[in-house]
Amino acid sequence: MPHNTLNLKNIEMEHEHSHGLECGCGCGASHSHTSTRGVSLALIGTLAGGVLLLNSFIAPIFYGSESSIVELSAMIGAALMALPIIVHAFKSIAKGSMHMDELVALAVLAAFAFGEYREAGVISFFMLLSELMETRTALGARAAIESLIRLTPKKAMLLANDGTESEVDVSQLKAGDVIRVRPGDAIAADGEVAKGNSSVNEATITGESLPVDKYPGQQVFAGTSNLTGSMDITVTKAGEDTTLGKVQSLIMQAEKTRIPIMRIIDQYVSWYIPTILMIAAVALFFTKEFDRFIAILVVSCPCALILATPTAMVAAISAAARLGVLIKNVADLEIAGKLTAMVFDKTGTLTTGRLYVTKLEPAEGIEPADLLRTAASAETLSRHPAGQALIMLAKEANVSLIEPENFEEVPGKGVKAVVEGNEILIGRESFLKENNIDMSSITDPSLHEEQGFSALYVASGDKCIGWVGMQDKTRSEARQAVSELQEAGIKRITMLTGDRKDVAGRVAAELGCTDYKAHCLPHDKLDIVKNIRSQGHSVAVIGDGINDAPALAEGDLGIAMGAAGSDVAINSASIALMNNDLKRLPFLVKLSRKTRLVINMNLIFGSLFIVIGVILALAGYLKSTWAAPLHFVGSIIVIFNSARLVRFGEYLEPHTEESAAGKE
């Protein structure tokens, strides 16, 4: 029934408190488990009334059709089932709200007034059964939210300064506390690994099914599952401030929002009921057949029509959340299907955001291994990404490193250190020239930059002994994602970056972007997005949600990549992708279009169902006792058609490569 279907958009579940489902059966509740119990009690009442109604059809065989038992069973059974409907209708009218189920209440009252108890009972039974099915569906659609709530344990093992353990309520945790998580435990709060190594299943947050290895210094999230080792975790966020808490609130926020078609339907409530009443009254006046009057009222109750949009949206939100795509407003999901252009930030979005050594070019007389050993040894104490890339390559090549002496890092320029008695300098060309280093032993440094490398030059003593070329690798799935977006009808794919033009051109060509812009500052990105929109495009902006915040806000749709654990990313965009898998973008576009298709199918079916039903009732072909079962069947068809969306996206293979690296 409509009052239940509207509640699909209005149910609010919180961890401790919830505004329960108010169904036509009168089963209001204040907690989700109470809602379920209320629905179960209403089901028992419906079945009891149904048994008495069935008895009124069977009793004439044993007692005769004139027996008072027959009429009494029909009257009591009908009353049991009709009362919740009638009471709810009067409450709605008293509050000044119309949910369209008043039509059914009027039909039931009319049947009682004319002593047609069996008709009243049949109508009430199928209407209540329909309501209960829709209510159960509403609760079932939120099973994912309830499971998220249950993921966070209620207790945590708190470590004191002296190392002793004590079990405390999760609600008592605060930033700075240290908790111990053993294998098989759910992590109770967001935090940073202080001690221990383990594998953690983060599927509930990122949508990635494969475990992620964790070691000291890495971030972990509340509600994820610790699989293998024991870890001591320093709490950074607890309770509603955790990433899981934000995921819960975002899903609930999305379910309470509405797209334009839902608001349009509500606008027509005021004239729909009077129109149906007029049609039913005209039919009764000319035909004098009371059954037609009731049939018109029952079949015109537009449950299927009202269910068309919210059921599809709830199913789509559930499908997206399962893959780590959080949609704040269902209207944003609708926009995703209309996109014609996408604007990507390069670093950290299309690329990994990490530097990798892709070329070693030693000077004449220098071995590549010696160049790597010297450079990596000098960078041993550096935390700069370039230094870390050198150290990583040295470890992969099994090159033994030497502890540097007199290490000094010059911000923005390079490092100085003494390795095996030799003074080593590593940095850009300008840094070495400042220190009077002879660069004649290598080719023209400007050529290295033009080739798309970020070049670091290595000097020993007063002479350059070679250079190291570094590049930020594109994500392994980026080319496929761009190709799928173009196949989906995205006409323009623009890449923006603050990097050099030669680097930007290489990445754009590698991925198949239609155009790119280098040397972009945040305000430049904003101007470019405005310009693309002015050309008539519907634009989505994809970035990390930090330095891209102005452009994200300017686009028709802002999508934050790798938002797990990032408040800025979650809050700055319309849609947050909890991991860095770019294949989620074509999925989002396809999900939007599939949802719109399902909604249109539901709306067409719901409209035809009412029109054909009313015509059949007017013609006398549809009896009132058949109108209620047909209404029930129509609602179920819409619900099951929408439910298909829940499994949408199962074709996506879990993204595994760089899953851990992408979050750094």
Side-chain angles (χ1 to χ4, degrees):
M1 293 292 291
H3 43 269
N4 287 323
T5 61
L6 291 178
N7 278 336
L8 277 168
K9 307 188 291 294
N10 297 329
I11 300 175
E12 182 179 348
M13 289 185 176
E14 297 176 2
H15 194 153
E16 299 294 334
H17 182 74
S18 166
H19 299 295
L21 184 68
E22 184 187 357
C23 69
C25 323
C27 55
S30 59
H31 299 276
S32 59
H33 67 276
T34 309
S35 297
T36 306
R37 184 166 62 246
V39 172
S40 299
L41 290 174
L43 180 59
I44 292 171
T46 301
L47 292 177
V51 168
L52 288 171
L53 181 65
L54 181 61
N55 183 63
S56 70
F57 286 97
I58 298 175
I61 300 174
F62 301 98
Y63 303 104
S65 58
E66 301 299 326
S67 173
S68 59
I69 294 177
V70 176
E71 188 172 359
L72 190 61
S73 293
M75 183 174 64
I76 295 175
L80 275 174
M81 294 182 290
L83 187 61
I85 297 174
I86 296 170
V87 169
H88 185 272
F90 276 110
K91 283 183 177 179
S92 297
I93 293 172
K95 292 177 182 177
S97 61
M98 300 289 281
H99 296 297
M100 299 190 194
D101 54 320
E102 288 77 10
L103 295 171
V104 177
L106 183 60
V108 171
L109 285 174
F112 265 102
F114 284 89
E116 300 291 343
Y117 302 125
R118 288 184 183 178
E119 279 191 351
V122 169
I123 293 169
S124 299
F125 176 79
F126 279 103
M127 289 300 166
L128 280 180
L129 195 59
S130 178
E131 292 176 9
L132 290 166
M133 280 291 293
E134 291 160 19
T135 301
R136 282 288 187 181
T137 301
L139 293 175
R142 287 154 181 77
I145 301 175
E146 291 184 328
S147 65
L148 284 178
I149 293 171
R150 289 193 296 269
L151 284 173
T152 307
K154 294 182 177 167
K155 300 288 184 179
M157 196 61 68
L158 182 66
L159 290 182
N161 292 333
D162 58 4
T164 58
E165 301 179 8
S166 60
E167 191 174 66
V168 298
D169 290 337
V170 170
S171 59
Q172 296 176 6
L173 293 178
K174 60 184 184 299
D177 287 343
V178 179
I179 58 175
R180 177 160 292 167
V181 182
R182 293 182 170 83
D185 290 348
I187 298 173
D190 284 8
E192 186 176 289
V193 179
K195 180 181 178 183
N197 299 279
S198 184
S199 293
V200 176
N201 185 347
E202 296 185 339
T204 53
I205 299 295
T206 66
E208 294 179 5
S209 60
L210 292 182
V212 179
D213 292 334
K214 297 292 182 180
Y215 45 84
Q218 285 209 311
Q219 189 177 21
V220 293
F221 305 111
T224 56
S225 300
N226 183 30
L227 300 179
T228 55
S230 177
M231 295 184 293
D232 292 348
I233 297 170
T234 303
V235 175
T236 55
K237 297 175 187 175
E240 295 179 355
D241 295 330
T242 63
T243 299
L244 180 65
K246 286 181 168 48
V247 168
Q248 295 169 9
S249 62
L250 279 178
I251 296 175
M252 291 186 289
Q253 177 183 333
E255 289 193 5
K256 290 187 289 182
T257 58
R258 315 171 78 188
I259 63 173
I261 187 66
M262 296 160 75
R263 292 190 287 268
I264 291 171
I265 289 175
D266 286 349
Q267 291 174 4
Y268 291 110
V269 171
S270 59
W271 63 260
Y272 182 83
I273 293 177
T275 301
I276 294 299
L277 287 176
M278 181 183 69
I279 293 172
V282 169
L284 180 62
F285 178 79
F286 283 105
T287 66
K288 310 299 182 185
E289 290 184 19
F290 173 70
D291 189 72
R292 294 194 193 193
F293 175 79
I294 295 179
I296 291 171
L297 294 181
V298 173
V299 80
S300 62
C301 190
C303 291
L305 189 60
I306 297 178
L307 277 168
T309 301
T311 53
M313 284 299 180
V314 169
I317 290 170
S318 300
R322 186 186 70 249
L323 292 172
V325 181
L326 298 186
I327 302 167
K328 296 182 182 180
N329 190 313
V330 292
D332 295 328
L333 178 60
E334 187 178 32
I335 292 171
K338 301 175 181 177
L339 294 173
T340 58
M342 283 196 174
V343 176
F344 287 90
D345 173 55
K346 178 181 79 71
T347 306
T349 302
L350 291 173
T351 64
T352 62
R354 296 178 61 182
L355 288 174
Y356 295 85
V357 176
T358 54
K359 187 165 186 177
L360 282 172
E361 189 70 27
E364 186 176 352
I366 306 293
E367 292 295 325
D370 293 335
L371 175 64
L372 178 59
R373 179 185 294 108
T374 300
S377 296
E379 293 276 10
T380 299
L381 301 179
S382 173
R383 303 304 299 173
H384 191 277
Q388 293 299 303
L390 278 167
I391 294 168
M392 182 174 66
L393 179 63
K395 288 180 179 178
E396 291 175 353
N398 292 321
V399 172
S400 58
L401 301 183
I402 302 160
E403 187 75 19
E405 299 175 357
N406 302 327
F407 175 82
E408 179 187 356
E409 189 160 12
V410 182
K413 294 186 177 181
V415 299
K416 295 180 180 179
V418 175
V419 178
E420 294 183 315
N422 297 316
E423 185 177 27
I424 306 299
L425 272 72
I426 303 177
R428 294 195 176 276
E429 178 193 10
S430 57
F431 179 56
L432 270 64
K433 285 184 175 180
E434 285 178 9
N435 288 272
N436 301 315
I437 301 297
D438 179 11
M439 306 288 290
S440 61
S441 58
I442 59 171
T443 56
D444 186 359
S446 62
L447 295 176
H448 307 154
E449 303 290 332
E450 291 174 5
Q451 293 169 357
F453 293 106
S454 292
L456 287 181
Y457 299 91
V458 184
S460 178
D462 60 357
K463 188 175 182 179
C464 181
I465 60 173
W467 63 277
V468 179
M470 296 187 178
Q471 291 177 327
D472 182 7
K473 288 185 179 179
T474 57
R475 297 190 182 278
S476 58
E477 78 284 2
R479 184 68 185 92
Q480 179 187 346
V482 171
S483 177
E484 289 183 7
L485 286 170
Q486 291 171 334
E487 290 173 3
I490 306 299
K491 298 180 177 62
R492 180 169 180 174
I493 296 180
T494 302
M495 186 190 77
L496 305 180
T497 179
D499 214 336
R500 302 186 311 276
K501 184 176 181 180
D502 45 15
V503 174
R506 174 183 61 82
V507 174
E510 184 179 336
L511 297 181
C513 298
T514 56
D515 59 295
Y516 68 93
K517 178 70 175 176
H519 302 292
C520 278
L521 298 174
H523 69 270
D524 297 322
K525 296 180 180 180
L526 183 65
D527 292 339
I528 291 170
V529 173
K530 286 181 179 179
N531 182 52
I532 295 175
R533 290 187 68 190
S534 68
Q535 296 173 18
H537 286 286
S538 179
V539 185
V541 180
I542 301 94
D544 59 15
I546 302 173
N547 61 337
D548 303 309
L552 285 168
E554 177 61 30
D556 294 285
L557 199 62
I559 302 175
M561 295 284 295
S566 171
D567 292 345
V568 176
I570 288 177
N571 295 329
S572 63
S574 310
I575 294 176
L577 305 188
M578 302 307 286
N579 61 31
N580 287 319
D581 188 353
L582 289 166
K583 288 184 290 186
R584 264 52 173 179
L585 294 174
F587 157 77
L588 177 63
V589 173
K590 293 173 185 176
L591 176 64
S592 173
R593 293 173 182 174
K594 181 71 172 178
T595 304
R596 170 49 61 185
L597 176 63
V598 169
I599 289 174
N600 289 339
M601 291 170 62
N602 288 344
L603 289 173
I604 291 171
F605 172 80
S607 301
L608 289 176
F609 181 86
I610 294 171
V611 172
I612 294 173
V614 171
I615 291 173
L616 290 175
L618 279 171
Y621 294 116
L622 181 62
K623 302 298 181 184
S624 59
T625 49
W626 282 103
L630 281 176
H631 169 277
F632 172 74
V633 171
S635 298
I636 297 304
I637 289 173
V638 167
I639 290 171
F640 278 95
N641 188 47
S642 296
R644 295 185 298 126
L645 288 170
V646 174
R647 302 181 67 86
F648 189 79
E650 289 186 343
Y651 61 87
L652 277 177
E653 295 180 2
H655 177 51
T656 58
E657 189 175 350
E658 302 161 352
S659 60
K663 296 179 186 69
E664 294 181 359

